[in-house]
């Protein structure tokens, strides 16, 4: 439903942080849009992983997505070219 409220609360952030990222240098952001939350990955960062580590990262992202969705929010994945700029 397009009129569902979109939110990202401290509780949600805490649940996401409780998950252990398989890669210490994984760059991932949660971005709030009017109709959904996006899990943003940076292509330069993600492409450095290979084989089993890439699978672990994908599984981790799925876990994050599932946790956020339990709050009733629509969640999309978003790839961004390049790396994260500070």
């Amino acid at each position: 439903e397009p009129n569902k409220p979109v939110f990202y609360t401290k509780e949600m952030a805490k649940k996401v942080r409780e998950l252990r990222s398989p890669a210490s240098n994984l760059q991932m952001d949660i971005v709030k849009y009017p109709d959904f939350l996006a899990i943003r990955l940076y292509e330069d960062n993600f492409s450095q992983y290979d084989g089993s580590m890439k699978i672990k990262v994908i599984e981790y992202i799925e876990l994050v997505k599932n946790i956020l969705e339990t709050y009733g929010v629509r969640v999309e994945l978003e790839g961004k070219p390049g790396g994260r700029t500070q």
Side-chain angles (χ1 to χ4, degrees), residues 1-18:
E1 320 138 39
N3 296 335
K4 232 177 182 180
V6 175
F7 50 88
Y8 184 59
T9 65
K10 284 189 167 103
E11 181 189 343
M12 293 162 81
K14 184 174 180 281
K15 291 281 182 203
V16 168
R17 279 195 300 270
E18 284 171 2

Side-chain angles (χ1 to χ4, degrees), residues 35-75:
D35 295 329
F36 62 93
L37 290 177
I39 298 172
R40 179 181 291 163
L41 295 175
Y42 297 85
E43 290 172 6
D44 287 356
N45 177 250
F46 184 71
S47 64
Q48 72 184 332
Y49 307 118
D50 55 10
S52 62
M53 181 52 84
K54 189 166 269 189
I55 291 166
K56 285 179 186 164
V57 169
I58 291 167
E59 288 170 347
Y60 168 74
I61 300 301
E62 283 296 317
L63 280 174
V64 171
K65 185 175 187 283
N66 292 342
I67 282 178
L68 296 175
E69 287 174 339
T70 64
Y71 291 89
V73 179
R74 194 174 114 219
V75 182

